[in-house]
Amino acid sequence: MTASTHTDPLRKVAIYIPAFNAAGTLAKVLDRIPENVKSVVGEIFVVDNASQDNTSIIAVDYRSTKGLHQLKVLKNKRNYGYGGSQKLAYQYCIEKGYDAVVMLHGDAQYAPEKLEYLLEPILKGEADMVFGSRMAGNPMGGGMPLYKFLGNRFLTTVQNQILGTKLTEFHSGYRVYSTKALKQVPFTNLSDDYHFDTEIIILLVDRKMRIIEKPIPTYYGDEPNYVNVWKYGLQVLQTTFGYALHKRGFYKDRRYSKDQPLQMLDIKDNFTVL
């Protein structure tokens, strides 16, 4: 994929960078976005989820010093949670008319160099969602802690059994969504917590959306980890088993009901544009 005409499909793509206390890594992430993507993509927007450091200042300064005019900086007025911040970001992309949105974390655990590689199936109309799978690559070689590797394997095995899927993992945060697909699922009903990532996959699977995985490199450095892995694991199991009970008619879960349309949020007062 090469950049550069006014009809380039990258102009209809937004890169969403969720950031919380990412002052030490954010500029590195932005630097590593390939130039032929950076110069053409419709918008790169950092969502600072009420960081306690100068994440948003770093982003604004980067835009000024690098002349990256398509970089937008949104600062949430409070911490809406990992899932809650995604809801705002995806609705923002829908309202602005983008065809696709990439979620690229601001903590440098995922490789910006793989953006085009992950975008390709979406831009070719071959997928509704693409995500980079660390488990399909060499996660231990990239420094993934053993307890995370084993936890990921266990949760993914259980989820595949319950959902009838064959994914190598459910827990990577490097994702590309078609906004057409997002408009067809009630993602605003989902959790504000970290297991939002599992819930939205369940929604897409339930609606028979096309999900493609592509192997990506794994990198774990000394960046802080804000996920309570035990709480996260229990939430993932609870929501997956909850979906199974819903499908079997034991109770009705509004997150997964087919008669639940996407309810757009009133997001304009939730963040400040810097």
Side-chain angles (χ1 to χ4, degrees):
M1 190 189 307
T2 57
S4 234
T5 71
H6 67 284
T7 58
D8 196 305
L10 285 173
R11 294 197 181 279
K12 297 293 287 180
V13 171
I15 300 172
Y16 153 52
I17 303 179
F20 178 70
N21 291 347
T25 55
L26 181 57
K28 299 173 190 173
V29 171
L30 291 166
D31 278 341
R32 290 171 57 194
I33 296 174
E35 284 301 323
N36 62 317
V37 174
K38 196 183 291 183
S39 62
V40 178
V41 73
E43 183 173 338
I44 302 169
F45 67 103
V46 173
V47 178
D48 179 351
N49 201 14
S51 294
Q52 296 153 354
D53 65 6
N54 60 345
T55 292
S56 56
I57 295 172
I58 294 289
V60 170
D61 182 65
Y62 189 97
R63 178 178 61 203
S64 174
T65 58
K66 301 286 186 176
L68 188 59
H69 303 300
Q70 66 269 51
L71 176 61
K72 306 293 191 302
V73 184
L74 314 180
K75 183 161 187 176
N76 288 343
K77 294 189 175 178
R78 63 177 177 82
N79 189 310
Y80 295 109
Y82 174 70
S85 192
Q86 284 189 66
K87 295 176 192 178
L88 299 178
Y90 299 149
Q91 182 167 325
Y92 175 84
C93 290
I94 288 169
E95 290 180 355
K96 296 200 78 172
Y98 289 112
D99 290 340
V101 52
V102 182
M103 178 168 71
L104 172 65
H105 287 193
D107 61 5
Q109 279 198 4
Y110 297 109
E113 295 85 359
K114 295 295 183 180
L115 272 164
E116 291 180 282
Y117 165 74
L118 294 180
L119 269 164
E120 194 166 8
I122 295 280
L123 297 182
K124 286 183 174 180
E126 298 170 351
D128 300 300
M129 175 203 174
V130 178
F131 68 93
S133 171
R134 300 161 299 177
M135 304 303 278
N138 181 20
M140 298 294 285
M144 179 180 282
L146 180 61
Y147 74 92
K148 288 194 174 184
F149 175 83
L150 294 175
N152 195 319
R153 285 288 194 214
F154 169 73
L155 291 174
T156 296
T157 298
V158 172
Q159 291 174 280
N160 277 328
Q161 287 292 322
I162 291 173
L163 299 173
T165 49
K166 296 180 180 179
L167 299 176
T168 60
E169 75 161 312
F170 284 74
H171 311 289
S172 168
Y174 200 176
R175 302 174 173 220
V176 186
Y177 294 98
S178 154
T179 53
K180 181 180 178 181
L182 287 173
K183 286 187 277 190
Q184 296 178 59
V185 296
F187 64 83
T188 56
N189 287 345
L190 303 182
S191 171
D192 290 338
D193 214 334
Y194 287 98
H195 61 293
F196 173 94
D197 279 355
T198 278
E199 291 178 330
I200 197 166
I201 290 178
I202 292 174
L203 275 179
L204 295 172
V205 168
D206 182 71
R207 284 153 175 78
K208 309 224 180 320
M209 299 281 188
R210 300 163 300 166
I211 299 174
I212 290 178
E213 295 179 281
K214 302 190 83 172
I216 57 168
T218 304
Y219 172 75
Y220 278 84
D222 57 1
E223 63 282 337
N225 177 23
Y226 298 102
V227 183
N228 180 320
V229 293
W230 294 105
K231 177 185 174 185
Y232 172 75
L234 288 173
Q235 288 172 327
V236 165
L237 291 173
Q238 182 182 45
T239 198
T240 306
F241 281 109
Y243 171 74
L245 293 174
H246 166 82
K247 287 295 286 184
R248 287 163 176 75
F250 288 102
Y251 79 106
K252 187 172 183 178
D253 189 325
R254 66 188 293 269
R255 290 175 296 178
Y256 308 124
S257 295
K258 289 286 201 310
D259 59 357
Q260 282 286 325
L262 172 62
Q263 299 290 331
M264 298 290 270
L265 303 170
D266 183 8
I267 65 172
K268 61 182 181 299
D269 295 324
N270 290 356
F271 55 79
T272 301
V273 180
L274 301 179

